[in-house]
Structures are given as structure tokens and as C-alpha cells.
Amino acid sequence: MLSLIQSFRDSHLAKKIIQRIENLAGGELFRIVHVCGTHEDTITKYGIRNMLPENVEVLMGPGCPVCTVPPNKIDAAIKIAEKGVILTTFGDMMRVPSGHGSLADANARGADLRIVYSIHDSVKIAERTEKQVVHLAVGFETTAPTSAAEILANPPKNFSIYSAHLLIPPAMMYLLESGESPIHGFILPGHVSTIIGSAGYREVAERFKIPQVVAGFEPLDVLFAISMILKQSVDGRGEVENEYSRVVKEGGNPKAQRMMAHVFDKVDGAWRGIGLIKSSGLSLKREFEEYDASKKFHIEAEEDYAMPKGCRCGEVLKAVIYPWDCPLFNSSCTPDNPIGPCMVSHEGSCYISATYGAFGWRKRG
Ligand code: SF4
């Protein structure tokens, strides 16, 4: 692995792009934010931050679908599970702490929680049992279409979902509006963009005139995207460009978009460590409410977006700090003993930084 990483860093093309980035970067601080755990994995694994000029920073924003699920949703899912139903979800969700412990704690107390690889596995469980089966549906535009597809396929009536789906472009606009940290450009997530297309960020471009580039997941993709963002800035442009055109189309996947629009209403979405963001959540439409676990089990989620005491994951998710700026990082909070959700999930930036070690970190000053 190390020789692979070193050969990338030594490659003629990588050196050439870094040279171009240095030429474009000037001397001002330039903060680029991405919103994708897979991008963070590439950036950290290949030590890309340490290849960049000192004034070009790359931070991860709210791109981890597990870290962003608020504790009130997890608590509500636990309440549902404790009503004697089978609750299914993805493996990363099990250890995420909420106000009343984690799903794994509820499992230890006797609730029937099962890890699945997709919502389809959950439907299959429902087909084989008389019990109620509820899928805790998390994720962004990448997983929401599969939830919509299962609902449209008329699953058994003992199946329902508890939706914690969230949408990425409203979160990007929230970060820009809040002004909590300066953002000069976005690397756009490849997976989300396959669904919403480069056109899905048009509103961000129109309102904020900020450089944005859809990027693939190879290290060269990320370097290209950074150079394209800097070039837009030098040219005084703030638009959406597509570095990942081998996969992402301007219009994205219209069929997936239609399914989402058919099944879900956009509602204000709750993001852990951030709060409510307008029109950033997805709730089942009234015509599908027989599949809505919150209606079926009369569960209201109380407002709660908090992080565990001392955990700065909220600032990590808002791209205000790097994981290693948190005093608990790699001391009391580690992948084996996570305190906050950013250290639990494989897509959390604290987990990724801790896993690859100091090679991927970049200390300021
Ligand atoms: S290192 Fe742990 S405690 Fe600190 S922000 Fe990350 S998850 Fe939270």
C-alpha cells in the first residue's frame, strides 16, 4: 500500500498538478470543503493535504451519513425497537451514541436489532415474518432512491421505514449562509452527484457564486478538482464544473430523482451538531404513510442535535476544525473507544484520520 501511495506522490502527473495548484494559489488563505467520506478517505490516505501549498486547506463538511443522524432520531428508533418490532439498519449506526445509549445498547437490553446491507434485505426479513419490521433509513441522495424504490414496489404491510434521509445541497447552503468558517470552494461528492447530476448544485452556484467541482475518488481526481476550483477563483468565476464526467452526467439519474419526488416530501431536516436545515430532510408522503414507522408507532422525535460532552464533532461537520484539533482525538476518543459519531462511522473524518495516522494530518502553524 505504501509503495502505491508513494508512486502516486512521485508520479509526473501528480507533480504537474501540484505545480499548477501552487501557481494558482497565490498567498491568501484558500479553504476548500468537501462533503463525502470517500473523498476524505482518498485525501487522508494519500496525504494530499501535505502535498498542497500551506495556504490551501481542504476540510470535510457534513458528508458522513451516519455522523449527521441526530440523537433524537436514534432515540426514536430505540423506542420503536422496544415496542417488540424487528429494527434493521446499517452496521455503522449500531454504535453511534444518542441521549439514551446506542442501538447496540438497546440490542443488549433485548431489542431485536439486525444489521442489513441494504433496505432490500430488510424487506426480505419482513416477507419471512409476521412481526413488524422497521428499517432505520439513513443516508443522502445516494440511498434515498433505493428507499423510494422499495416503497414503490409494494413491500409487505408489516414493513415500514423510519426516515432519517438528508439532502446535501441545502447543507452546503447552510454552511455558506452561517459564515461560521470561510469557504472558498466545494469539491462535490461523486456518489450524490450520480443521482442529482452537476445540475443539482445550480441553486448553490446562483445564490453564492462559489466555485464547485464534481470529483471522482482517485487521488488525481481530487487534485484536478482542487486545481479547477482555484482556476475558477483566479478567473473570478463561481460555477459548477464536472471533473467526474466519466460517471456523472449533468442531469444525473432522472429515474432515481423521479422516484424520490414520488415517494418523499422535502421537509426541514435535523442534522446532528448543526440543527434544523430548511428543506434538507425527506419524509414519506401522506399516500405512503402506511409505510411510515413514525405514524405507525406514533413516535415523535424530540428536538436534540447535541454531541456527547467534550466532543467537537459538530465543528468537524461544519468544517470549522480538523479532527486533530479536538483535544480528545486519539487520546480518550479512538476507533476502538469512540466518544462521538465522527469516530464511530467509517465515513467519519475522525475515524478516517485516526485510522491512517499522522501521515494524513496537517497541523496549522
Ligand atoms: S475526536 Fe472524538 S470526541 Fe473529538 S470530535 Fe472526533 S468524535 Fe468527537
Side-chain angles (χ1 to χ4, degrees):
M1 174 60 80
L2 270 179
S3 62
L4 187 75
I5 291 170
Q6 196 54 50
S7 67
F8 157 70
R9 292 167 73 93
D10 289 342
S11 74
H12 176 65
L13 198 47
K15 285 182 172 164
K16 216 170 148 186
I17 306 169
I18 290 292
Q19 184 61 58
R20 180 170 166 76
I21 288 172
E22 283 171 359
N23 294 342
L24 290 165
E28 300 286 308
L29 177 66
F30 204 95
R31 293 176 96 246
I32 295 170
V33 170
H34 73 84
V35 278
C36 172
T38 314
H39 277 150
E40 183 58 31
D41 195 89
T42 299
I43 289 165
T44 306
K45 179 162 76 186
Y46 287 88
I48 283 177
R49 290 188 176 94
N50 289 315
M51 298 169 74
L52 299 172
E54 271 191 11
N55 60 318
V56 178
E57 297 198 336
V58 181
L59 291 99
M60 180 169 172
C64 165
V66 168
C67 317
T68 46
V69 176
N72 56 343
K73 290 267 183 185
I74 298 170
D75 287 340
I78 290 172
K79 276 189 206 161
I80 293 172
E82 288 175 343
K83 286 176 183 281
V85 311
I86 298 170
L87 188 95
T88 66
T89 194
F90 304 128
D92 271 8
M93 280 304 301
M94 292 295 281
R95 290 197 303 158
V96 178
S98 73
H100 298 100
S102 63
L103 292 167
D105 294 333
N107 199 29
R109 290 196 298 270
D112 191 349
L113 275 114
R114 301 192 194 174
I115 293 171
V116 290
Y117 291 105
S118 75
I119 184 173
H120 189 65
D121 295 341
S122 183
V123 173
K124 290 278 166 219
I125 293 171
E127 285 170 352
R128 292 193 300 264
T129 179
E130 299 287 303
K131 287 178 82 174
Q132 291 290 327
V133 177
V134 176
H135 182 65
L136 172 56
V138 304
F140 305 123
E141 290 89 339
T142 32
T143 49
T146 55
S147 296
E150 291 297 340
I151 298 297
L152 288 171
N154 287 322
K157 300 296 181 235
N158 62 334
F159 173 80
S160 55
I161 69 168
Y162 186 60
S163 173
H165 284 306
L166 293 168
L167 303 171
I168 285 289
M172 291 166 56
M173 289 191 277
Y174 172 89
L175 292 187
L176 292 166
E177 263 160 11
S178 78
E180 211 169 318
S181 63
I183 300 174
H184 304 108
F186 278 107
I187 299 172
L188 299 173
H191 299 315
V192 166
S193 303
T194 57
I195 304 297
I196 66 173
S198 48
Y201 308 92
R202 208 174 276 145
E203 188 183 348
V204 185
E206 282 167 3
R207 284 183 56 197
F208 297 94
K209 308 275 180 283
I210 186 164
Q212 303 171 71
V213 176
V214 179
F217 301 107
E218 296 300 323
L220 283 176
D221 287 320
V222 175
L223 286 184
F224 266 129
I226 292 169
S227 73
M228 289 166 74
I229 288 169
L230 289 167
K231 180 74 170 83
Q232 280 198 46
S233 179
V234 167
D235 294 347
R237 293 179 289 126
E239 55 200 51
V240 186
E241 290 181 311
N242 187 3
E243 182 278 336
Y244 198 29
S245 57
R246 61 190 188 272
V247 172
V248 172
K249 306 292 166 236
E250 191 194 356
N253 182 332
K255 188 176 173 197
Q257 292 169 26
R258 277 197 300 276
M259 285 194 295
M260 280 168 66
H262 188 160
V263 168
F264 292 112
D265 280 326
K266 283 187 189 171
V267 294
D268 295 346
W271 295 65
R272 188 167 204 170
I274 297 176
L276 267 192
I277 300 180
K278 202 168 179 305
S279 302
S280 69
L282 294 175
S283 174
L284 281 176
K285 283 183 191 279
R286 183 171 287 184
E287 64 186 283
F288 299 106
E289 69 183 14
E290 64 184 314
Y291 296 116
D292 187 338
S294 63
K295 303 264 169 49
K296 202 181 238 185
F297 298 99
H298 311 289
I299 295 289
E300 290 281 341
E302 290 158 21
E303 268 192 31
D304 180 5
Y305 317 117
M307 289 295 173
K309 198 163 175 280
C311 169
R312 297 182 67 187
C313 192
E315 291 160 276
V316 171
L317 291 169
K318 287 188 274 189
V320 175
I321 63 168
Y322 290 109
W324 48 90
D325 293 329
C326 171
L328 307 186
F329 175 76
N330 255 4
S331 54
S332 46
C333 183
T334 64
D336 286 338
N337 288 298
I339 289 177
C342 298
M343 191 61 93
V344 173
S345 170
H346 287 71
E347 296 189 65
S349 51
C350 297
Y351 176 92
I352 294 167
S353 296
T355 302
Y356 289 119
F359 175 68
W361 312 347
R362 188 193 212 188
K363 294 279 185 189
R364 288 195 190 89

